[in-house]
Amino acid sequence: LGPGHALTWRSATVSGRGVDAADAGVAVEATIQARDECGRPWAGESLPLRATLVGPLATHTTQIPSYVAATGASGGVYTTRWSTTACGHHALRLERATVSEAASAAHLYGANALYNNSLVGASPYRVMVKPGAANATRSFVAANAALVPVSVVVGGGGGGGG
């Protein structure tokens, strides 16, 4: 490839259900197509990418690493897969894996102009995670003394005498 045909991550296209919506507890995925500066699909070597789901955005308490794999035979095509059990708005951040975790965190919580060159497509993507179907294997019971009855009467004793 000649001048003007370098890989540019901001031109990448990202598609799939995992980019904008998901159900809690259900794995979703997105496909990333790297592109060159002219907007053509990148056919060169697949470079390492990192995907992280952050959220719920109201708290910024959880960062969930997501699975990313190069899937195209000619390079430049990736699949990312993730799942969370927390409902609410999340941010799906796609970036070059060569970006340090510190720079990534600095951008997430502040401004870092140098980091912007490493983002993929329109990352970060705002993803709404809705409640999923109930799953008993992921449920637990916690005893709370205030909620446990002191005595339980079984069978009705019928009432009045005589």
Side-chain angles (χ1 to χ4, degrees):
L1 296 176
H5 298 284
L7 173 66
T8 176
W9 288 112
R10 275 313 222 182
S11 297
T13 54
V14 182
S15 61
R17 183 154 166 34
V19 174
D20 58 5
D23 294 326
V26 178
V28 291
E29 61 183 44
T31 301
I32 301 140
Q33 170 63 68
R35 298 194 175 273
D36 68 17
E37 292 176 336
C38 295
R40 295 181 296 225
W42 177 254
E45 178 184 353
S46 291
L47 303 173
L49 286 182
R50 178 172 46 231
T52 307
L53 186 70
V54 179
L57 292 179
T59 60
H60 281 286
T61 57
T62 306
Q63 291 193 23
I64 302 165
S66 303
Y67 170 81
V68 179
T71 55
S74 62
V77 179
Y78 304 83
T79 298
T80 182
R81 185 176 306 118
W82 60 266
S83 174
T84 182
T85 55
C87 298
H89 286 98
H90 290 66
L92 177 61
R93 188 176 64 223
L94 303 171
E95 61 198 349
R96 292 187 338 221
T98 55
V99 175
S100 73
E101 291 289 338
S104 178
H107 178 72
L108 181 63
Y109 299 110
N112 183 344
L114 295 176
Y115 175 78
N116 288 335
N117 296 330
S118 301
L119 294 173
V120 175
S123 179
Y125 294 90
R126 188 174 173 119
V127 180
M128 178 58 182
V129 179
K130 299 178 293 187
N135 183 339
T137 64
R138 294 186 180 185
S139 300
F140 64 92
V141 176
N144 181 334
L147 301 176
V148 177
V150 175
S151 64
V152 177
V153 177
V154 178

